Amino acid sequence: MTHANDPSAGAPMRADHPLSMDELAAVIAADIPSGAFVNLGIGQPTRIADHLSASSGVVLHTENGMLNMGPRAEGDAVDPDLTNAGKVPVTELPGAAYFHQADSFAMMRGGHLDVCVLGAYQVGFQGDLANWHTGAPDAVPAVGGAMDLAIGAKEVHVMMPLFTRSDQPKLVPLCTYPLTGVGCVSRVYTDHGVFEVGARGVRIRETYGVGARELARRLGITDPDTPPTG
Amino acid sequence: MTHANDPSAGAPMRADHPLSMDELAAVIAADIPSGAFVNLGIGQPTRIADHLSASSGVVLHTENGMLNMGPRAEGDAVDPDLTNAGKVPVTELPGAAYFHQADSFAMMRGGHLDVCVLGAYQVGFQGDLANWHTGAPDAVPAVGGAMDLAIGAKEVHVMMPLFTRSDQPKLVPLCTYPLTGVGCVSRVYTDHGVFEVGARGVRIRETYGVGARELARRLGITDPDTPPTG
Amino acid sequence: MSRAEVVESADAAVAGVEDGATVLVGGFGLAGMPFDLIEALIRQGAKDLTIVSNNAGNGEVGLAALLAAGRVRKVVCSFPRQADSWVFDRLYRSGEIELELVPQGNLAERMRAAGAGIGAFYCPTAIGTPLAEGREEREIDGRRYLLEYPIRGDYALIGAYRADTLGNLTYRRTARNFGPVMATAAATTVVQVDQIVEAGQLDPEAVVTPSIYVDRIVQVQTRRHTVQGAR
Amino acid sequence: MSRAEVVESADAAVAGVEDGATVLVGGFGLAGMPFDLIEALIRQGAKDLTIVSNNAGNGEVGLAALLAAGRVRKVVCSFPRQADSWVFDRLYRSGEIELELVPQGNLAERMRAAGAGIGAFYCPTAIGTPLAEGREEREIDGRRYLLEYPIRGDYALIGAYRADTLGNLTYRRTARNFGPVMATAAATTVVQVDQIVEAGQLDPEAVVTPSIYVDRIVQVQTRRHTVQGAR
């Protein structure tokens, strides 16, 4: 099995405005290599499925035990025995397979998924991921399969708004929220731009409606690789 | 799941002659509790299957990946894709299930089999088992699933002639052959008698064509539990 | 002996569950949840239970009803917080219930280990996170792992689709989830199914849980529920 | 990317196997052995191979033919000694081939661990025996265990019954044996099947190896052999 993702694969999108989450989902979908095995996290990342064409041959995995998951089920197609990881009724595509939880997580943890796309509270410049717990003392913690995906998928990508409602960056030098995984994220898709992160630090791949220099300044990115235009 | 075997279950067989391996197989078959899940080792123990009635509800496991294995296949029923652990073509009974090797050995090692019956080179008074390697320097060693059964089945029983061709006992104070498992055997069925072995030492349950005192003397058994008659 | 027993009612199926028992409960959200067995367990009355399940109940049904009845001392699960997990949330916030949070893959693999005779295993999940606390760490081939121990149940209550009279099981779609793993990890495995057929009626190639793992089977009119966008 | 490729010949299926590679070879005796892939591997010419398989060849066919061709440096297996394993026996006794003997359950579980991301695991098999030598021991809950590490393959060559065009597999009876485990443990998994069908033609509940584990598929006229009473 070869490495699923080529950083140069996504044709940079030139946008003069911050992207909606739906536009962002289309950007991510276009980046996913044909034939890849992909897990889409609950929440925003599930939108990506709507932008994957059947001809892409992308196969969706859902951690509750299925490969070749189809779109959300509507009306009579709803079967309570067939849901995605978010417990939303979905459908089955030709060539689907069902398996139990130990087999499903063996698949995830054994490095067989090419890409997973997760939501996040924060991502660190080195690729640390925080997406399971705000750390608030009265919060009920819940982790699900997030930590398994973080260490298991060949490529862990994040889809999130770049700033909180109170305008704090969610791409940060060091996460302050409890971690889901260490150094596991390689790419972050946001409404304001796409970032490569990891051991060598953060690099801005493209921006939407903001200049790269301006974005780098707001986030405190000093990497010289950051392209001068946005 | 409850303990499969009751030491008092086998109605003692009164025989005035050493048993043939086939007669011994019948003794063992009669001891196997109704409905038990059983693995029969390659070689002599496979004969036991011929003495299990369908009404016993005993379910045979074969470590190459099947439950509810049927008798040896003959003629047109031979299917090269359906063999026992000895690679002999067998048949399938109603209610059979197939599974792969990791699942099959999970079943064995997880303590789910009620009884396995294995052949042996030697058994120690404390229940040590030696059945995989003579220790001869020019021998090609082979272990298969023997060590997994030794640690995995709830009850490990041995079926063997009590003496070698050169008249050496095979039930011995301490095994001299390389071990398959430590203290794992609880009962030894032989042509001359049946023995309970284990941490408390060896006890003669019944004898065939020889007195218990005489047998105890030949084997060097000093346990006072040994019954006085044979 | 170990042969599975077909019983006449969900009440008969859950007979004997002791106070303080550890009970593995199948289901991912509501898919695969053994509603009838849980309701029978509520009637049966065992208390001070430790429940191992992926979630901690949805709405007022199934596991949530057992929690609401005050029978559960501790929940071991991966994802208690859901849009409709108000029963658990209230008990947790008021300190009336203990929570052990386990990543979903560890939950599954630790039960598999229990069923497979594995004493412990090294897994990279949760390295460097708060859930690594108190766990032994080891580096193998340059990668960091945590040592994880088996999770065993006194009972497993699971839902399946079809059983044959010997106890072989098949499941439906993603309702399969934890059933096959829990069936291997419990001393006594109790299954509710839609349909019981004669031995020989299930395709031996398609049996998911072999009969050796099943102790009691009851046929019920399984109700199925959906949770829309809950997790 | 990872999507399985249907190739036209066994020769195309084994293209690229490097000298010195570790190759997992399916089959228990002759049941499930991928004869056509092995013959293609002999033609392909890779040498100095490490072969991981349950046995070490029967008669003159399959694995025995690969050994006879002098391509194998080392065999990792559980049961080399069989009535008709004369090829291996000769090479072993003359010191021309190395043997690593692994209990059958460890062979399977160590490959499963490789496929499942488990760094190592504790198992009671072989405790107190010569095969425990050099292994780390640990007591857990009063029982003794040995630490076992994953076995990974560069390639897996396996036989299955049906594949769909995506690479989902089903097997036949006990020919299933090591196939599903090996498929998860190799960087490149190559499968010979009796029949390739369109996606959607296999029952999703009865798929044994999901497509994600399969890289190359070739349809062949599988020959089946029996070994009478060999082991």
Side-chain angles (χ1 to χ4, degrees):
Chain A
M1 282 163 266
T2 51
H3 202 265
N5 227 309
D6 173 356
S8 65
M13 177 163 181
R14 297 286 168 188
D16 58 1
H17 60 280
L19 301 191
S20 68
M21 282 296 124
D22 208 53
E23 289 171 317
L24 187 59
V27 170
I28 300 172
D31 267 6
I32 294 178
S34 166
F37 290 90
V38 176
N39 182 296
L40 300 176
I42 55 177
Q44 299 295 351
T46 57
R47 293 171 181 259
I48 298 164
D50 300 336
H51 298 276
L52 291 168
S53 67
S55 67
S56 73
V58 168
V59 176
L60 293 183
H61 170 266
T62 181
E63 63 243 47
N64 47 324
M66 181 186 193
L67 272 176
N68 243 326
M69 179 178 70
R72 181 189 281 246
E74 306 287 352
D76 287 352
V78 169
D79 177 347
D81 283 346
L82 179 50
T83 78
N84 66 15
K87 302 175 183 95
V88 177
V90 292
T91 53
E92 171 188 298
L93 295 180
Y98 297 103
F99 28 84
H100 63 59
Q101 286 294 282
D103 280 351
S104 185
F105 280 79
M107 198 179 282
M108 293 156 69
R109 292 145 50 121
H112 305 284
L113 292 175
D114 296 307
V115 183
C116 77
V117 186
L118 301 174
Y121 295 137
Q122 289 180 325
V123 178
F125 287 179
Q126 312 289 318
D128 292 354
L129 173 66
N131 79 345
W132 72 284
H133 196 357
T134 61
D138 67 333
V140 178
V143 63
M147 289 188 182
D148 303 293
L149 283 165
I151 58 87
K154 288 179 203 163
E155 296 275 338
V156 178
H157 295 171
V158 161
M159 173 186 189
M160 66 180 189
L162 185 54
F163 298 98
T164 66
R165 287 177 192 182
S166 56
D167 221 30
Q168 297 299 307
K170 297 173 65 171
L171 179 60
V172 294
L174 275 180
C175 294
T176 55
Y177 283 16
L179 292 188
T180 305
V182 177
C184 55
V185 178
S186 58
R187 190 179 299 164
V188 184
Y189 292 95
T190 78
D191 44 354
H192 294 284
V194 180
F195 306 84
E196 309 287 345
V197 299
R200 295 175 49 212
V202 62
R203 189 178 72 79
I204 300 176
R205 187 180 90 178
E206 63 204 62
T207 63
Y208 310 124
V210 58
R213 281 177 198 278
E214 166 64 9
L215 199 54
R217 191 193 56 76
R218 283 187 70 186
L219 297 172
I221 299 171
T222 55
D223 191 295
D225 280 355
T226 296
T229 61
Chain B
M1 280 160 269
T2 51
H3 204 265
N5 228 308
D6 174 357
S8 66
M13 177 164 181
R14 297 286 167 186
D16 58 1
H17 60 278
L19 301 191
S20 68
M21 282 295 123
D22 208 54
E23 289 171 316
L24 187 59
V27 169
I28 300 173
D31 268 6
I32 294 177
S34 167
F37 290 90
V38 176
N39 182 296
L40 300 177
I42 55 176
Q44 300 294 352
T46 56
R47 292 171 182 259
I48 298 164
D50 301 337
H51 298 276
L52 291 168
S53 67
S55 67
S56 74
V58 168
V59 175
L60 294 182
H61 169 267
T62 181
E63 62 242 47
N64 47 322
M66 181 187 193
L67 271 177
N68 243 327
M69 178 179 70
R72 180 190 282 245
E74 306 287 352
D76 287 353
V78 169
D79 177 348
D81 283 347
L82 179 51
T83 78
N84 65 14
K87 299 170 185 101
V88 177
V90 291
T91 53
E92 172 188 296
L93 294 180
Y98 297 103
F99 29 83
H100 63 58
Q101 286 294 281
D103 281 350
S104 185
F105 279 79
M107 196 178 284
M108 294 156 68
R109 290 144 53 120
H112 305 284
L113 292 175
D114 296 306
V115 184
C116 77
V117 186
L118 301 174
Y121 295 138
Q122 289 180 325
V123 178
F125 287 178
Q126 312 289 318
D128 292 354
L129 173 66
N131 79 345
W132 72 284
H133 195 356
T134 60
D138 67 332
V140 178
V143 64
M147 289 187 181
D148 302 294
L149 283 165
I151 58 88
K154 288 179 204 162
E155 295 276 338
V156 178
H157 295 172
V158 161
M159 174 187 188
M160 66 179 188
L162 184 55
F163 299 97
T164 65
R165 286 177 194 183
S166 57
D167 220 31
Q168 297 299 308
K170 297 172 66 172
L171 178 60
V172 293
L174 275 180
C175 294
T176 55
Y177 283 16
L179 292 188
T180 305
V182 177
C184 54
V185 179
S186 58
R187 190 178 300 163
V188 184
Y189 293 94
T190 78
D191 44 354
H192 294 284
V194 180
F195 305 84
E196 308 289 343
V197 300
R200 296 174 49 213
V202 62
R203 189 178 74 78
I204 300 176
R205 187 180 89 177
E206 65 203 62
T207 62
Y208 309 125
V210 57
R213 280 178 198 278
E214 165 65 10
L215 199 55
R217 191 193 57 75
R218 284 188 70 187
L219 297 171
I221 299 171
T222 56
D223 191 295
D225 281 354
T226 297
T229 61
Chain C
M1 305 310 302
S2 291
R3 190 158 181 171
E5 190 186 355
V6 175
V7 299
E8 290 305 308
S9 68
D11 293 286
V14 302
V17 177
E18 309 83 359
D19 290 352
T22 295
V23 184
L24 318 179
V25 178
F28 179 86
L30 298 175
M33 181 162 290
F35 295 107
D36 298 79
L37 296 179
I38 294 170
E39 286 166 12
L41 184 60
I42 294 171
R43 290 192 295 273
Q44 190 262 1
K47 58 182 191 296
D48 201 28
L49 300 172
T50 293
I51 297 293
V52 182
S53 196
N54 190 61
N55 304 102
N58 303 80
E60 306 282 350
V61 297
L63 207 46
L66 183 69
L67 266 61
R71 305 294 170 72
V72 181
R73 184 179 65 75
K74 178 178 176 180
V75 169
V76 181
C77 78
S78 88
F79 210 85
R81 185 190 67 226
Q82 303 167 98
D84 60 352
S85 59
W86 54 77
V87 173
F88 175 83
D89 294 359
R90 178 178 57 72
L91 293 168
Y92 179 74
R93 290 214 165 88
S94 66
E96 293 170 69
I97 201 162
E98 188 182 338
L99 169 66
E100 180 181 340
L101 193 72
V102 178
Q104 195 171 333
N106 284 356
L107 198 63
E109 187 73 13
R110 290 172 63 187
M111 288 190 280
R112 180 189 179 275
I118 302 298
F121 60 90
Y122 289 101
C123 177
T125 296
I127 271 287
T129 79
L131 296 187
E133 260 170 47
R135 293 188 142 65
E136 191 176 315
E137 189 179 322
R138 182 176 184 130
E139 190 172 309
I140 301 170
D141 276 347
R143 189 171 193 190
R144 293 164 67 199
Y145 294 87
L146 297 172
L147 186 60
E148 299 289 341
Y149 291 92
I151 296 176
R152 291 184 182 81
D154 297 306
Y155 288 83
L157 308 185
I158 66 173
Y161 180 45
R162 282 199 174 113
D164 69 17
T165 48
L166 293 179
N168 291 300
L169 304 179
T170 63
Y171 300 81
R172 271 195 84 240
R173 303 183 135 177
T174 57
R176 184 185 300 198
N177 58 66
F178 282 91
V181 183
M182 289 178 168
T184 71
T188 300
T189 293
V190 184
V191 191
Q192 71 169 69
V193 295
D194 287 25
Q195 198 183 357
I196 299 176
V197 300
E198 288 303 310
Q201 298 297 300
L202 297 181
D203 177 0
E205 306 282 4
V207 167
V208 175
T209 294
S211 56
I212 195 168
Y213 295 118
V214 175
D215 296 282
R216 304 177 195 162
I217 314 160
V218 62
Q219 181 173 323
V220 299
Q221 292 278 337
T222 297
R223 291 148 293 162
R224 296 194 157 79
H225 302 262
T226 64
V227 190
Q228 284 285 351
R231 175 165 156 183
Chain D
M1 304 312 301
S2 290
R3 190 158 181 173
E5 191 187 354
V6 175
V7 299
E8 290 306 307
S9 68
D11 293 286
V14 302
V17 177
E18 309 84 0
D19 290 352
T22 295
V23 184
L24 317 179
V25 178
F28 178 85
L30 299 174
M33 181 163 288
F35 295 106
D36 299 77
L37 296 178
I38 294 171
E39 286 166 12
L41 183 60
I42 294 172
R43 290 191 295 273
Q44 190 260 2
K47 58 183 190 298
D48 202 28
L49 300 172
T50 293
I51 297 294
V52 181
S53 195
N54 190 60
N55 304 102
N58 303 80
E60 305 283 349
V61 297
L63 206 46
L66 184 70
L67 266 62
R71 304 295 170 71
V72 181
R73 183 178 65 76
K74 179 179 176 179
V75 170
V76 180
C77 78
S78 89
F79 211 85
R81 184 190 68 224
Q82 303 167 97
D84 60 350
S85 60
W86 55 78
V87 172
F88 174 82
D89 295 358
R90 177 179 57 74
L91 292 167
Y92 179 74
R93 291 214 164 87
S94 66
E96 292 170 70
I97 201 162
E98 189 183 338
L99 169 66
E100 181 181 339
L101 194 71
V102 178
Q104 195 171 334
N106 284 356
L107 199 63
E109 188 72 13
R110 289 172 64 187
M111 288 190 280
R112 180 189 178 275
I118 302 298
F121 60 90
Y122 289 100
C123 177
T125 297
I127 271 287
T129 79
L131 296 187
E133 261 170 46
R135 294 188 140 65
E136 191 176 315
E137 189 179 321
R138 182 176 183 130
E139 190 171 308
I140 301 171
D141 275 347
R143 190 172 192 190
R144 293 163 67 197
Y145 294 87
L146 297 171
L147 186 61
E148 299 289 340
Y149 291 91
I151 297 176
R152 291 185 181 81
D154 298 306
Y155 289 83
L157 308 185
I158 66 175
Y161 180 45
R162 282 199 175 111
D164 70 17
T165 49
L166 293 178
N168 291 300
L169 304 180
T170 64
Y171 299 81
R172 271 196 85 238
R173 304 185 134 179
T174 57
R176 183 184 300 197
N177 58 67
F178 283 91
V181 183
M182 289 179 169
T184 71
T188 301
T189 293
V190 184
V191 190
Q192 70 169 69
V193 295
D194 286 26
Q195 198 184 356
I196 298 176
V197 300
E198 287 304 309
Q201 297 297 301
L202 298 180
D203 176 1
E205 305 282 4
V207 167
V208 175
T209 294
S211 57
I212 195 169
Y213 295 117
V214 175
D215 297 281
R216 304 177 195 163
I217 313 159
V218 62
Q219 182 173 322
V220 299
Q221 293 277 338
T222 297
R223 290 149 294 161
R224 296 193 157 79
H225 303 261
T226 64
V227 189
Q228 284 285 349
R231 175 164 155 183

